[in-house]
Amino acid sequence: MIRRKCLFSTLVVACLTATTAMAQRIFSLDSCRQMALRNNKQMGVARAKLELAKNVRKSARTKYLPHVNAFGGYMYVSKEFSLLNDDQKVELQNLGSSSMGAIGQIMPDITQTLSQEQIGALTNMLNATGLSLVDALHTDTRNLFAATLQVTQPLFMGGSIIAMNKMADIAEDIACNTADAQKQMTLYNIDKAYWNVVSLKHKKELAESFLKLVKKLDSDISKMISEGVATKADGLKVGVKVNEAEMSLLQVNNGLALSKMLLCQLCGMPVDESFDVEDVEVETAEDRLTCNILSENDYSLRPELRVMENTVDMSKQTTNMLKAGNLPKIALAGGYTVTNPSVTNGFENKFVGLWNVGVVVSVPVWNWGDVAYKVRASKNATTIATLELNDAREKVDLQVSQSRYKMDEAYKRLTMANSNIRKAEENLRCANVGFKEGVMESTAVIEAQTAWLQAQSQRIDAEIDVKLSQVALRKALGTLHE
């Protein structure tokens, strides 16, 4: 029975431990980076802009290819078109009568040799012929139908199509570099938030250790007071230090909670997510070696500088496109047109098609200098973009130098902090030994503990500063990647 109870208790403890472990997830820097890149809204915007630029570039490529257009239409007009006026229609309808009268006057001998029946037959025949001509030239043009299939192939557009395609390529590069810049900014922010959580995590552990340290001293002082070898004043001094240690621990806990909320927000998680960060070594020899190699890289890899270089190139291609406004444009055109009524075989009320092919030339003659003014304005924009690029390069150069100096300072502070740690620990050891031997007062122990706490805190700050200075240098150089 006792064994069953022990086994049951063991299972309950194991289940509770597993549940706690599942609730308290542990995140590494890489996992936080991946979550931030997936959930960052601006990264989503940058990816959408890159996809947009790719489609615009594909659209620009189609300008080299022939384009096919189909047109169709119907029109009803109130009056039909006629090639004959009313007088001409009457004359044609009376062609026989007027003709025989004219022949009788010019050649009376011929008409005298013909009988009246023959003249009448000839007159009726000519009148019928005239009437048939009138009917043949009559067509119903009140219902007009037309359809055209047109093919156009650009031959020379003044260089505007070439400039347009180059601009589309540059726009895609700008979108890609902008996405890279947004990615590096996201990584920079997540690294700062992550290392801030790591710093506060270590400071929390330090605050807990210091609280245990002063509580032990408080317990020792209480025993010494009860034995009469210490005064109540000594107890009050240590009690105040215990209160200060508890308040410091509370502040660190609050700061750690807020830092975790910020990290959750950057990673796209609920701000009340329960997690812990991976306990990693803050500084190693490999980090220093990597950073030394990194500091020799070319800072022209900065995506912001590449975007500005793209802007200069885009301005130059804009100038080329504007110059095309003063150059002739040549295109090959061909098509097939269907009309009803048709006129290829007289006027016919049926659909008849025609093939056509030709060359279209457009030559600008006079525009009051409009194109020239636009070209000058575009060149001015190129000059401005070039000056801004040179200014940005100088600022980046200064930023890289500052980041390198700050990194060197961080390493020096870390070296000094490690040295101070050794001295503070030795000082605290001597104070504790002297206090136990009765040759030192509690005040000296409190001062030694405070100095130890300060040295430990400075080392944590120095370690985090090393990491942050490395991240800042990578961002300044444009090499902050996953």
Side-chain angles (χ1 to χ4, degrees):
M1 185 70 179
I2 296 175
R3 287 183 178 180
R4 289 181 180 179
K5 289 183 178 180
C6 292
L7 180 60
F8 178 75
S9 301
T10 303
L11 290 174
V12 171
V13 172
C15 291
L16 291 175
T17 303
T19 304
T20 304
M22 291 177 62
Q24 188 77 6
R25 294 191 294 172
I26 298 178
F27 293 141
S28 65
L29 178 59
D30 289 338
S31 62
C32 290
R33 283 181 163 192
Q34 295 299 327
M35 286 188 292
L37 292 178
R38 285 196 306 268
N39 301 322
N40 186 270
K41 301 298 187 297
Q42 292 303 316
M43 282 299 300
V45 172
R47 286 190 289 267
K49 288 183 177 179
L50 179 57
E51 190 65 25
L52 183 150
K54 289 181 179 179
N55 289 320
V56 171
R57 188 253 304 161
K58 293 177 181 178
S59 172
R61 292 292 189 271
T62 63
K63 304 303 178 183
Y64 289 113
L65 305 175
H67 283 63
V68 181
N69 297 300
F71 306 93
Y74 164 79
M75 180 181 294
Y76 175 82
V77 294
S78 61
K79 294 182 179 181
E80 64 182 26
F81 301 116
S82 178
L83 296 178
L84 300 176
N85 57 36
D86 292 339
D87 293 337
Q88 290 172 336
K89 291 179 181 178
V90 172
E91 289 180 2
L92 287 174
Q93 290 173 357
N94 298 315
L95 179 62
S97 301
S98 59
S99 297
M100 293 308 297
I103 292 173
Q105 293 178 359
I106 297 173
M107 294 179 289
D109 296 337
I110 296 178
T111 57
Q112 290 178 1
T113 59
L114 298 175
S115 64
Q116 291 296 325
E117 293 179 356
Q118 291 175 332
I119 293 174
L122 183 59
T123 299
N124 291 334
M125 182 184 69
L126 292 175
N127 286 340
T129 302
L131 181 60
S132 65
L133 288 175
V134 172
D135 292 337
L137 293 175
H138 168 74
T139 181
D140 186 6
T141 56
R142 289 174 297 176
N143 296 290
L144 303 178
F145 300 89
T148 300
L149 185 67
Q150 188 74 28
V151 180
T152 305
Q153 172 63 57
L155 299 179
F156 178 74
M157 295 288 111
S160 60
I161 295 180
I162 296 176
M164 181 190 305
N165 276 271
K166 289 182 178 179
M167 291 174 67
D169 293 339
I170 295 171
E172 186 176 358
D173 289 340
I174 290 176
C176 183
N177 291 327
T178 301
D180 191 14
Q182 182 60 45
K183 177 181 178 181
Q184 293 200 24
M185 179 57 70
T186 302
L187 294 177
Y188 179 68
N189 291 332
I190 203 71
D191 281 17
K192 288 199 303 182
Y194 182 87
W195 290 116
N196 190 37
V197 172
V198 172
S199 173
L200 290 173
K201 175 186 175 182
H202 286 288
K203 287 189 176 180
K204 176 185 177 182
E205 295 172 355
L206 176 61
E208 291 173 347
S209 299
F210 182 71
L211 181 59
K212 291 180 181 178
L213 198 63
V214 294
K215 281 186 175 180
K216 184 179 183 306
L217 178 62
D218 184 55
S219 175
D220 293 340
I221 289 291
S222 299
K223 293 177 182 178
M224 294 175 67
I225 292 174
S226 61
E227 293 176 0
V229 294
T231 63
K232 290 185 178 180
D234 294 330
L236 292 175
K237 291 178 183 178
V238 177
V240 170
K241 208 62 181 178
V242 170
N243 292 336
E244 291 178 355
E246 291 176 346
M247 181 57 66
S248 297
L249 179 59
L250 176 62
Q251 292 174 345
V252 171
N253 284 329
N254 292 338
L256 181 59
L258 293 175
S259 298
K260 285 186 174 182
M261 288 181 181
L262 176 60
L263 186 60
C264 288
Q265 190 271 329
L266 292 175
C267 293
M269 298 185 299
V271 293
D272 57 349
E273 181 77 17
S274 178
F275 71 97
D276 195 7
V277 293
E278 193 177 62
D279 194 7
V280 296
E281 289 291 334
V282 179
E283 171 57 19
T284 62
E286 288 77 8
D287 292 330
R288 182 63 185 265
L289 178 60
T290 302
C291 217
N292 286 338
I293 296 174
L294 184 65
S295 63
E296 300 299 328
N297 286 347
D298 185 7
Y299 57 82
S300 62
L301 297 174
R302 280 286 291 267
E304 295 88 347
L305 290 181
R306 296 202 302 270
V307 169
M308 299 188 74
E309 291 172 354
N310 295 145
T311 303
V312 174
D313 295 336
M314 180 73 78
S315 180
K316 292 179 180 178
Q317 294 305 322
T318 302
T319 302
N320 293 334
M321 178 173 284
L322 291 173
K323 287 180 178 178
N326 277 336
L327 298 176
K329 297 175 178 58
I330 305 173
L332 178 65
Y336 186 75
T337 302
V338 178
T339 61
N340 183 3
S342 63
V343 292
T344 57
N345 188 28
F347 276 95
E348 295 179 311
N349 284 327
K350 65 179 183 179
F351 288 95
V352 177
L354 294 172
W355 290 100
N356 61 84
V357 64
V359 178
V360 180
V361 180
S362 174
V363 180
V365 178
W366 185 253
N367 53 28
W368 301 99
D370 176 57
V371 175
Y373 295 139
K374 290 180 180 178
V375 169
R376 292 175 188 174
S378 181
K379 288 182 177 179
N380 292 334
T382 302
T383 302
I384 294 172
T386 303
L387 292 173
E388 290 178 346
L389 174 60
N390 293 333
D391 182 58
R393 283 173 176 167
E394 293 176 357
K395 291 180 179 178
V396 168
D397 191 8
L398 178 61
Q399 186 180 26
V400 170
S401 299
Q402 291 174 342
S403 298
R404 287 174 178 166
Y405 286 132
K406 288 181 180 179
M407 186 183 65
D408 291 338
E409 291 175 2
Y411 277 108
K412 291 178 181 178
R413 282 198 300 270
L414 179 59
T415 302
M416 295 174 62
N418 288 328
S419 176
N420 291 337
I421 283 289
R422 291 190 293 269
K423 295 176 182 179
E425 288 177 348
E426 180 62 21
N427 183 38
L428 179 59
R429 188 188 68 81
C430 294
N432 287 329
V433 171
F435 180 71
K436 290 179 180 179
E437 296 294 333
V439 296
M440 298 185 67
E441 297 182 356
S442 60
T443 305
V445 178
I446 293 174
E447 291 176 353
Q449 290 176 344
T450 303
W452 176 84
L453 174 65
Q454 185 177 4
Q456 293 285 356
S457 179
Q458 288 176 351
R459 184 176 66 176
I460 294 174
D461 291 337
E463 290 173 340
I464 298 302
D465 284 344
V466 166
K467 281 297 182 183
L468 293 180
S469 65
Q470 291 176 359
V471 173
L473 179 58
R474 287 189 176 93
K475 184 179 182 301
L477 292 170
T479 57
L480 184 60
H481 302 290
E482 297 176 65

